[in-house]
Amino acid sequence: MEDYRFSDHQLYDRLVKHAQTMHGDDHHLRQLIKADQRMAEFSAIGGGIFFDYSRQRVDASTMRLLLALADAAAVMDQFADMASGKKVNVTENRAALHMAARSFSDVPVRLDGRDVKPDLKCVLEEIRTFSETVHRGETTGSTGQAFRHVVVVGIGGSYLGTEFVARALEAFADKGISLEFLANVDVHNFGCIWSRIQAEQTLWIIISKSYTTAETMANEDLIRRYMDASGLDPSKHLVTVTSKGSPGDQGAGQGLAAFHMFDFIGGRYSVSSAVGGVPLSLYLGYERFERFLKGAEEMDRHALEAAPTQNLPLIAALLSVWNTSFLGYPQTAIIPYASPLCKLAPHVQQLNMESNGKSVDSAGRLLAEPAGTVIFGEPGTNAQHSFFQLAHQGKAFPIDFIGVLNPQYQMDEGSFKGVGHQQELWANMLAQATALASGRKSENPAKSFSGNRPSSSIVLENLDPENVGRLLAFYEARTIYEAFIWGINPFDQFGVELGKLTAGTIRSEMAARNQNPGHDFAALDPINRAYLQMLFKGKFPG
């Protein structure tokens, strides 16, 4: 790859021209999907997942051009470099070794000449031992009662991926432990959780790499206050997941245990580390967490080794870049036709948008247009009754439909209109993809559907721990491949910093008012000054 720049490459110009061809009536999806071999030619199986992109607005020429672009960007070489320990996070001079956290092979992964896998395996063993002592009732709270509630205290990547996996595998949660998530620095979040737990039976998991995250530290402070007020020793009800030597890694006086995380695993890629491992092992059992890791590892190997024409995350990434940068779609929806996947879209929203919402390339040069896409989603069929009016007749957006062949609950579904619930769900998913692609003409404009609205279908055989791991790793690899095609760094997130700094200024003004009722917020601009006056009075102005 010699000084690759996405929008300056000659293949970019060819793809721009080709996109104009694809806008023609003869390339409408209504026509494309009629071909007998359409699905066979535009689908692939790999890493335990079936991926069908026959309803995307592509033909054989599109895919040849996109694959040539991937080759020009050396994306698979970059992916291999990432997996091997090279410092692909160039702006922060860090490696990105989330895949090493779920690698069960004997092949070392060296960072600065040192194999990182022994440290990662040591953490896994610590998680296994701790979770098993909790399940056996050997590790208890300060009153000797067994833990029945676990609360994850962390924000962003410290909880979103874990919440996705926990909800996806809720059917396997047989340890008699509930799992809650305290993310927001909002008393409603804390108050709601506090109202439905028994404090003496609660274990709080404080997750922060630096142990300085403002929201998380504020919540820990509130937890300690309420536990103290309940006559409980907070240190007997807390564990931390943090970096070695951080303020959260201070020994037995602080909590029951500290589990280490590493700067070579970013928050949004951290579900496979202690960030997900501690709560998921307590909730599901360590064996199921390990099965989840092994499923993710299988998809990692596929993403690393499969030929480009059969590489599911790479193909999905190319389609995303095609839809965003060449066809001009600014949003992408994730619609799983399986309720357990209800938290997938929020996780991928952070994973993808924080990784790829960039305006400069990896060399710091401005992009011709910003990278990334807006991710949103809701399980089907709920989504159909929410925003599919816009999907069919408003501004179009590509969709990932996700279907599961065998539901987690095998039970008598009865029969309504001749089909069971699982079949009804699939009828709706298939119908939506078909209708969006084909559309329907009508003499009544209000009842006319333009069609030509692209989608992919992702199919899992079931929702066991392995398949949830495969799905997670698929979206991680897809996100990274997208970034390498755009030529950006998916592992930094400087865009979140300005808001934090600005909040610090406003927070200082609030603290000053708390100390001095006469403080008038003079250091702030007029708009923010007016809002703080409103907040402290607790009512509208006037």
Side-chain angles (χ1 to χ4, degrees):
M1 181 179 67
E2 296 182 5
D3 195 32
Y4 168 84
R5 293 189 71 173
F6 173 66
S7 59
D8 287 349
H9 200 278
Q10 55 95 9
L11 283 164
Y12 178 91
D13 294 331
R14 292 175 63 186
L15 281 159
V16 168
K17 184 177 180 180
H18 180 69
Q20 296 303 312
T21 300
M22 296 303 294
H23 288 311
D25 289 343
D26 57 337
H27 286 85
H28 190 291
L29 277 172
R30 184 187 302 117
Q31 308 301 328
L32 296 178
I33 63 176
K34 289 179 180 179
D36 290 341
Q37 297 300 308
R38 177 72 180 179
M39 185 172 177
E41 293 175 4
F42 295 89
S43 65
I45 299 175
I49 289 178
F50 175 76
F51 183 68
D52 167 25
Y53 55 104
S54 61
R55 295 186 179 101
Q56 289 285 347
R57 292 178 58 193
V58 296
D59 60 12
S61 296
T62 318
M63 296 311 299
R64 281 194 295 272
L65 287 169
L66 289 171
L67 288 164
L69 183 66
D71 183 61
V75 296
M76 293 196 69
D77 291 341
Q78 291 189 69
F79 201 86
D81 286 346
M82 176 194 73
S84 69
K86 290 189 178 180
K87 294 180 180 179
V88 293
N89 181 353
V90 293
T91 53
E92 298 175 307
N93 194 34
R94 291 177 180 172
L97 292 174
H98 53 282
M99 297 198 307
R102 57 205 187 211
S103 171
F104 291 87
S105 77
D106 295 327
V107 178
V109 177
R110 299 192 183 279
L111 176 59
D112 295 328
R114 183 173 177 272
D115 186 6
V116 303
K117 289 175 72 173
D119 288 342
L120 293 167
K121 289 180 179 178
C122 180
V123 173
L124 285 179
E125 192 56 40
E126 291 170 352
I127 293 170
R128 180 203 295 270
T129 300
F130 180 78
S131 62
E132 289 176 350
T133 63
V134 169
H135 294 149
R136 290 195 299 265
E138 297 169 8
T139 297
T140 65
S142 56
T143 65
Q145 294 188 50
F147 291 120
R148 291 289 174 256
H149 312 284
V150 169
V151 183
V152 171
V153 185
I155 198 163
S158 294
Y159 93 98
L160 283 165
T162 302
E163 186 178 37
F164 152 56
V165 177
R167 297 298 169 248
L169 296 177
E170 186 175 355
F172 295 85
D174 58 1
K175 303 302 180 183
I177 291 176
S178 68
L179 184 60
E180 305 275 0
F181 295 88
L182 175 57
N184 206 350
V185 58
D186 181 346
V187 73
H188 296 97
N189 196 179
F190 177 82
C192 183
I193 291 172
W194 186 260
S195 71
R196 61 179 180 237
I197 61 171
Q198 299 296 318
E200 61 273 15
Q201 298 177 347
T202 300
L203 178 66
W204 307 83
I205 305 174
I206 316 297
I207 303 177
S208 174
K209 185 180 291 184
S210 65
Y211 225 74
T212 59
T213 308
E215 297 92 338
T216 303
M217 296 302 95
N219 278 328
E220 184 194 6
D221 179 72
L222 193 58
I223 290 161
R224 288 183 179 274
R225 290 173 185 269
Y226 270 72
M227 296 297 278
D228 278 332
S230 300
L232 301 171
D233 179 357
S235 70
K236 302 298 183 184
H237 291 263
L238 268 71
V239 299
T240 63
V241 178
T242 188
S243 59
K244 188 174 183 178
S246 83
D249 186 33
Q250 299 303 310
Q254 185 175 46
L256 289 169
F259 302 91
H260 290 152
M261 55 201 298
F262 304 90
D263 67 3
F264 52 74
I265 300 178
R268 55 191 177 274
Y269 297 95
S270 66
V271 192
S272 305
S273 73
V275 170
V278 177
L280 292 172
S281 294
L282 290 165
Y283 184 54
L284 303 168
Y286 179 83
E287 294 78 10
R288 292 189 179 111
F289 175 66
E290 189 171 281
R291 288 173 57 192
F292 159 79
L293 294 181
K294 289 181 176 178
E297 181 190 29
E298 181 182 351
M299 179 54 71
D300 290 342
R301 289 197 305 269
H302 171 81
L304 272 166
E305 299 168 3
T309 56
Q310 297 298 310
N311 192 308
L312 271 59
L314 175 55
I315 294 170
L318 289 167
L319 292 169
S320 181
V321 171
W322 167 247
N323 284 328
T324 304
S325 296
F326 298 103
L327 296 184
Y329 297 113
Q331 299 95 12
T332 301
I334 298 173
I335 313 296
Y337 277 70
S339 292
L341 299 180
C342 61
K343 292 297 182 178
L344 174 62
H347 168 58
V348 178
Q349 186 177 69
Q350 191 224 4
L351 168 69
N352 193 283
M353 293 172 69
E354 192 167 86
S355 293
N356 292 348
K358 305 290 171 62
S359 294
V360 298
D361 67 13
S362 294
R365 301 169 299 199
L366 281 173
L367 298 170
E369 64 175 25
T373 180
V374 176
I375 303 284
F376 70 101
E378 177 75 14
T381 63
N382 299 8
Q384 296 172 202
H385 298 269
S386 176
F387 51 81
F388 268 43
Q389 166 63 42
L390 188 146
H392 282 282
Q393 291 184 311
K395 291 185 177 180
F397 50 87
I399 295 176
D400 285 353
F401 289 106
I402 304 174
V404 178
L405 296 175
N406 301 290
Q408 289 173 331
Y409 296 97
Q410 298 294 319
M411 56 194 297
D412 181 7
E413 300 179 11
S415 177
F416 182 74
K417 295 186 177 179
V419 299
H421 279 57
Q422 173 73 351
Q423 293 170 344
E424 177 68 17
L425 198 65
W426 268 81
N428 276 271
M429 186 182 82
L430 296 174
Q432 292 299 325
T434 301
L436 286 164
S438 297
R440 186 186 66 187
K441 296 179 179 180
S442 172
E443 293 181 0
N444 182 347
K447 295 183 178 182
S448 185
F449 298 79
S450 63
N452 210 30
R453 294 163 186 254
S455 67
S456 298
S457 295
I458 299 166
V459 182
L460 306 173
E461 287 190 358
N462 56 48
L463 281 179
D464 62 10
E466 289 86 352
N467 273 326
V468 173
R470 291 171 183 130
L471 189 61
L472 175 106
F474 166 83
Y475 275 104
E476 287 180 350
R478 166 178 160 167
T479 296
I480 294 164
Y481 272 133
E482 287 175 13
F484 291 162
I485 297 162
W486 275 313
I488 61 177
N489 178 6
F491 304 113
D492 64 15
Q493 57 281 330
F494 297 114
V496 305
E497 296 301 323
L498 180 58
K500 291 180 181 180
L501 291 172
T502 307
T505 302
I506 296 172
R507 186 187 304 115
S508 296
E509 287 294 302
M510 291 176 171
R513 177 63 171 263
N514 289 333
Q515 293 293 319
N516 174 16
H519 184 72
D520 64 357
F521 312 119
L524 294 179
D525 64 271
I527 293 175
N528 281 317
R529 188 183 312 137
Y531 271 110
L532 289 199
Q533 290 168 346
M534 194 188 312
L535 175 67
F536 276 80
K537 291 178 181 178
K539 60 183 180 181
F540 299 146

